[in-house]
Structure formats: structure tokens, C-alpha cells
Amino acid sequence: LTHAELMATNASATFTSPDVKKEEFRKYLERSGVIDSLTKVLVGLYEEPEKPSNALDFVKMTLGAPTGVDVEALKAENEQLRDKNNELNQKILELTKQVESLTAASSAE
């Protein structure tokens, strides 16, 4: 291959790479049922005689997602619960060590 042919081959591979990735992603969505689900939701929205004022809430509701949820509040609560869980796990370790030391002291007597 000449240098020009090699460069042209590399350039065409570079240009097709995003298309290949898009096609792989499309196939993934199709295999996982996402395309069918979204199509059904959008057809349902299209066939709705009285269009909802918030199309996104309609899609969420149809897919089964909760609406009106404060995600940031849930994240904050989750973080607090994780911290509390870590504290309780530490307390369990401390108490387990105390029980072990008391048991060892009791058996030594």
C-alpha cells in the first residue's frame, strides 16, 4: 500500500467508528427491549385523546417510574443512612471486642 492509500484506509476507519458504535448501541437497545417499550409509550401518548400537560410525566408514569420524587432529598437521606450504618457497624465491632475480652477474662478465672 502506498502512503496515500494507507492514510485513506485509516481515515475511513476513523469515520466509520462512530457509526459502528451507534449501530452497536442501537442493537443493544433493541435486544434489551428499550426500543419496544419507548415505542409503545410514544404510541400511547400519540393516541391519547386529551394530551397531558406534561408529556415527560406521562412517559415516566407509563414506564412505571415515580413522579414528583425529590431525588436530591432521597440522595441526602441515603447518605445519612449510610453514615448511620457505618456508625452502627463500628459499634458492633466495639461491642464484639468487649464481649470477647470479657469472655476471655471469665475463662481465665
Side-chain angles (χ1 to χ4, degrees), residues 41 44-46 48 52 54-63 67:
V41 169
L45 179 60
Y46 175 78
E48 192 70 26
N54 189 330
L56 185 56
D57 280 347
F58 176 87
V59 170
K60 287 179 182 178
M61 182 185 70
T62 305
L63 288 174
T67 55

Side-chain angles (χ1 to χ4, degrees), residues 83-94:
D83 290 343
K84 185 66 174 176
N85 188 33
N86 288 335
E87 290 173 24
L88 293 172
N89 283 328
Q90 280 299 115
K91 188 70 172 174
I92 288 171
L93 288 174
E94 292 170 15

Side-chain angles (χ1 to χ4, degrees), residues 9-105:
T9 303
N10 287 341
S12 68
T14 304
F15 290 123
T16 58
S17 180
D19 291 336
V20 170
K21 287 182 179 180
K22 286 179 187 177
E23 183 61 21
E24 287 173 0
F25 186 67
R26 188 197 63 73
K27 287 179 182 178
Y28 161 74
L29 293 175
E30 191 172 336
R31 279 191 314 271
S32 62
V34 171
I35 292 176
D36 286 341
S37 294
L38 288 176
T39 300
K40 288 176 185 174
V41 169
L42 293 175
V43 167
L45 179 60
Y46 175 78
E47 292 175 347
E48 192 70 26
E50 293 183 27
K51 302 295 183 241
S53 59
N54 189 330
L56 185 56
D57 280 347
F58 176 87
V59 170
K60 287 179 182 178
M61 182 185 70
T62 305
L63 288 174
T67 55
V69 174
D70 185 357
V71 174
E72 291 305 315
L74 288 175
K75 285 181 180 179
E77 180 184 11
N78 188 13
E79 185 63 30
Q80 290 172 349
L81 292 172
R82 285 179 188 269
D83 290 343
K84 185 66 174 176
N85 188 33
N86 288 335
E87 290 173 24
L88 293 172
N89 283 328
Q90 280 299 115
K91 188 70 172 174
I92 288 171
L93 288 174
E94 292 170 15
L95 292 172
T96 302
K97 287 178 184 177
Q98 285 181 4
V99 167
E100 288 172 355
S101 70
L102 290 173
T103 303

